[in-house]
Amino acid sequence: MEVFLNGHFIPEERALVSAFDRGFLYGDGLFETVRVAHGRCFRWEDHLERLARGAAFLKLPLPSALATWSGYADELLARNHVEEAVLRLILSRGPGTRGYSPRGADQPTLVMSLHPAPPGELQNPPRWRLATSSVRLPVADPLSQFKTCNKLPQILARAEADASGADEALLLDSEGRAGEGSASNLFWIQDDVVCTPPLAAGVLPGITRKVVLEICQSLALPCREAFTTPSRLHRAQGVFLTLSSLGVAEAVALDGIPLPQSNLTLKLTAAYNRMLLSSRDHLRY
Amino acid sequence: MEVFLNGHFIPEERALVSAFDRGFLYGDGLFETVRVAHGRCFRWEDHLERLARGAAFLKLPLPSALATWSGYADELLARNHVEEAVLRLILSRGPGTRGYSPRGADQPTLVMSLHPAPPGELQNPPRWRLATSSVRLPVADPLSQFKTCNKLPQILARAEADASGADEALLLDSEGRAGEGSASNLFWIQDDVVCTPPLAAGVLPGITRKVVLEICQSLALPCREAFTTPSRLHRAQGVFLTLSSLGVAEAVALDGIPLPQSNLTLKLTAAYNRMLLSSRDHLRY
């Protein structure tokens, strides 16, 4: 596999960054995970827009105009002869002197790499067992609105889920409300309404979260932002998670207790997959 | 300068890590900043002990026995002909597959590099202007007890301080209490007692913080753990910060308002510097 690194396409074993890169030292960067279907990057503009908002917040310079990045992604797919994949894009602040001050670090690092698309999810959504994590999301954390490279809380949560035999962790906020998965947004169906926590609760503004809310609107399915707790999730009509690499994943159990299944999840999954496969929204940034 | 990287000594421009290293992707690692004086690593054992505790918490494997690391540090100093420096040690989880799960990532990356010692602080403590940051420390964050590579809150705080012309940021916790600097622990003198926030407040267990508390005990200076606020700091007898690279730094202003100066700061700085220069505690781990 070839990797894009700062303007060059190189074999992945030679995709190396400086040990003085602030991404490596402090997680001083941002990333995106983009689904590639039929050779097209799904919701490319949305991903770049989120990355650009994060870069503005962190005052992290862009190494080149965003409009040129779609050409890099296209060439990466072509060189690797890949049509179905997950594209990971990382922007770090690049090498700097010792210390937290970003002063003088103005040579950002940009990496794009391709990873296998999850197998077989287009027919049926994956069925995930969830485990409530002991890791809490801080309320009102401004960094929660960006996909930063500071992911130790999510890594700890996911490792807990691994250890308990679950597929994904459910993180609560410091007030005990259900926030999001370690790498996914949370949805549930209550009184025939599709619900998800508001962004103000400190959850990531997921691109797939946004797409699912758009689908609900287009199908005239009632949806709203709301709060819930693990015990209320057990009484919901259905629970699912959204993430760009995979789309929609059905939650079949939480902390070892089965969750109710809803046909709505299958309907939303099918609509999402139709959109993914018919999308022509690639490379128009 | 040569850098230690996974068992090899290499020129710094060739000190490269994989773009798939989880340190680069997610800040999945730990680091230490060790003062080197007279060719000896000050409080080496304390630094390694903190790193080892963090590695155990993150279930991050060590690439080799800690006892061998002092030999690497010694050789790094000898190869670079350095006697006064700051040694930075980074341990990341190394390369892994896509996603937060640490499963299968068992080739950690270990880097040691040397950086210039801060000039001239041994005669007089540096005089720092502080600026209260808008970035808040989450209360009861278990990660606060380790020096992790997730440092975006500290980077944001330090960038705010830079922008306001200050030398260091003062971070408050979510309840408005003074916690720590972006890269330093906070001390103040109140009623002739040396005070610092308790570790349970979510501040880093700084090695220099510990040394200063030991000095207070050896000099029979009363000291205790306590909480304070920015407005109470203005009414303290003196304020200072501690950090391993530098020792003790005197705080001369907070948010543009001068802070009282205390002879105790000079006394503690002198005692710290005597300990630094006479220490024989190197390389006994």
Side-chain angles (χ1 to χ4, degrees):
Chain A
M1 274 292 204
E2 287 194 359
V3 170
F4 171 89
L5 173 60
N6 290 339
H8 303 280
F9 294 89
I10 47 184
E12 62 185 24
E13 62 275 13
R14 290 203 284 117
L16 304 168
V17 299
S18 169
F20 299 94
D21 195 293
R22 292 172 57 97
F24 180 68
L25 298 169
Y26 308 131
D28 191 3
L30 298 156
F31 73 107
E32 292 292 331
T33 302
V34 186
R35 179 61 190 270
V36 179
H38 288 5
R40 291 191 296 266
C41 292
F42 187 58
R43 294 287 178 140
W44 176 254
E45 292 87 347
D46 285 317
H47 284 284
L48 283 208
E49 191 268 332
R50 182 171 66 185
L51 188 98
R53 272 192 296 117
F57 182 77
L58 297 178
K59 296 190 174 61
L60 206 161
L62 301 176
S64 52
L66 284 179
T68 63
W69 295 17
S70 61
Y72 302 146
D74 266 351
E75 186 170 348
L76 185 67
L77 291 167
R79 282 173 170 262
N80 288 296
H81 312 289
V82 160
E83 292 256 302
E84 307 299 321
V86 172
L87 186 152
R88 184 168 63 194
L89 194 156
I90 305 146
L91 174 68
S92 86
R93 205 183 300 268
T97 55
R98 200 182 60 74
Y100 300 150
S101 173
R103 268 187 192 152
D106 49 13
Q107 299 284 321
T109 302
L110 179 62
V111 181
M112 293 188 208
S113 58
L114 295 174
H115 304 267
E121 87 282 15
L122 288 180
Q123 285 68 48
N124 293 300
R127 294 163 61 81
W128 276 2
R129 293 152 300 171
L130 308 184
T132 303
S133 173
S134 71
V135 179
R136 296 294 178 108
L137 300 165
V139 173
D141 174 11
L143 286 167
S144 70
Q145 297 306 296
F146 312 107
K147 205 165 171 78
T148 77
C149 293
N150 273 202
K151 287 296 176 190
L152 278 174
Q154 287 74 15
I155 289 167
L156 287 173
R158 177 56 196 267
E160 281 182 346
D162 286 355
S164 71
D167 304 291
E168 170 64 306
L170 175 65
L171 286 91
L172 312 184
D173 69 16
S174 45
E175 295 169 25
R177 301 176 299 195
E180 60 189 350
S182 75
S184 55
N185 283 107
L186 173 70
F187 284 80
W188 67 97
I189 301 151
Q190 183 96 41
D191 302 327
D192 298 318
V193 177
V194 178
C195 304
T196 192
L199 300 184
V203 301
L204 184 78
I207 307 303
T208 309
R209 175 186 184 276
K210 182 181 163 187
V211 172
V212 164
L213 291 174
E214 287 173 12
I215 290 172
C216 286
Q217 294 216 304
S218 73
L219 297 180
L221 292 171
C223 60
R224 68 183 175 92
E225 294 185 327
F227 288 101
T228 192
T229 61
S231 60
R232 274 151 63 194
L233 285 175
H234 278 117
R235 300 194 300 272
Q237 291 160 271
V239 179
F240 61 94
L241 297 126
T242 59
L243 62 171
S244 292
S245 59
L246 207 60
V248 179
E250 191 171 16
V252 295
L254 173 60
D255 298 326
I257 302 167
L259 288 166
Q261 311 294 288
S262 166
N263 282 332
L264 253 182
T265 303
L266 295 174
K267 193 171 172 179
L268 287 168
T269 306
Y272 179 85
N273 288 336
R274 277 197 303 277
M275 194 181 272
L276 178 70
L277 295 176
S278 68
S279 166
R280 304 262 157 206
D281 70 353
H282 177 45
L283 309 185
R284 303 262 161 70
Y285 199 88
Chain B
M1 274 292 205
E2 286 194 359
V3 171
F4 171 88
L5 173 60
N6 290 338
H8 303 280
F9 294 89
I10 47 184
E12 63 184 22
E13 61 277 12
R14 290 201 286 118
L16 304 168
V17 299
S18 170
F20 298 95
D21 194 293
R22 291 171 58 96
F24 180 68
L25 298 169
Y26 308 132
D28 191 4
L30 298 155
F31 73 107
E32 292 292 332
T33 302
V34 186
R35 179 61 189 269
V36 179
H38 287 5
R40 291 191 298 266
C41 293
F42 186 59
R43 293 288 178 141
W44 175 255
E45 292 88 346
D46 286 318
H47 284 284
L48 283 207
E49 191 269 331
R50 182 170 67 184
L51 188 98
R53 273 192 296 117
F57 182 78
L58 297 178
K59 297 189 172 63
L60 207 160
L62 302 177
S64 52
L66 284 181
T68 63
W69 296 17
S70 62
Y72 301 146
D74 267 351
E75 186 169 349
L76 185 66
L77 292 167
R79 282 173 169 262
N80 288 296
H81 311 289
V82 160
E83 292 256 303
E84 307 300 320
V86 172
L87 185 151
R88 184 167 63 194
L89 194 156
I90 305 147
L91 174 67
S92 87
R93 204 184 300 270
T97 55
R98 200 182 59 74
Y100 299 150
S101 173
R103 268 187 192 151
D106 49 13
Q107 300 285 320
T109 302
L110 179 62
V111 182
M112 293 188 209
S113 57
L114 295 174
H115 304 265
E121 87 280 16
L122 288 180
Q123 285 68 47
N124 293 300
R127 294 165 59 82
W128 276 3
R129 293 153 298 172
L130 307 184
T132 303
S133 173
S134 71
V135 178
R136 296 294 179 107
L137 300 165
V139 172
D141 175 9
L143 287 167
S144 69
Q145 297 307 296
F146 312 107
K147 204 165 171 76
T148 78
C149 294
N150 274 204
K151 287 296 176 191
L152 278 174
Q154 287 74 16
I155 290 167
L156 288 173
R158 176 58 197 263
E160 281 182 347
D162 287 354
S164 71
D167 304 291
E168 171 62 308
L170 174 66
L171 286 89
L172 311 184
D173 71 14
S174 43
E175 293 169 26
R177 300 176 297 196
E180 61 190 349
S182 75
S184 55
N185 283 108
L186 173 70
F187 284 79
W188 66 98
I189 300 151
Q190 182 96 42
D191 302 327
D192 297 318
V193 177
V194 178
C195 304
T196 191
L199 300 183
V203 302
L204 184 79
I207 307 303
T208 309
R209 174 187 184 277
K210 183 181 162 188
V211 172
V212 165
L213 291 175
E214 287 172 12
I215 290 173
C216 286
Q217 294 216 303
S218 73
L219 298 180
L221 292 171
C223 59
R224 66 183 177 93
E225 294 185 327
F227 289 101
T228 192
T229 60
S231 61
R232 275 151 62 194
L233 284 175
H234 278 117
R235 300 194 300 272
Q237 291 160 270
V239 179
F240 62 94
L241 297 126
T242 60
L243 63 171
S244 292
S245 58
L246 206 60
V248 178
E250 190 171 17
V252 294
L254 173 60
D255 298 325
I257 301 167
L259 288 167
Q261 311 293 289
S262 166
N263 282 333
L264 253 183
T265 302
L266 295 174
K267 192 171 174 180
L268 287 168
T269 305
Y272 180 85
N273 288 338
R274 276 196 304 275
M275 194 180 274
L276 177 71
L277 294 177
S278 68
S279 167
R280 303 261 159 207
D281 69 353
H282 176 46
L283 307 185
R284 304 261 161 71
Y285 199 88

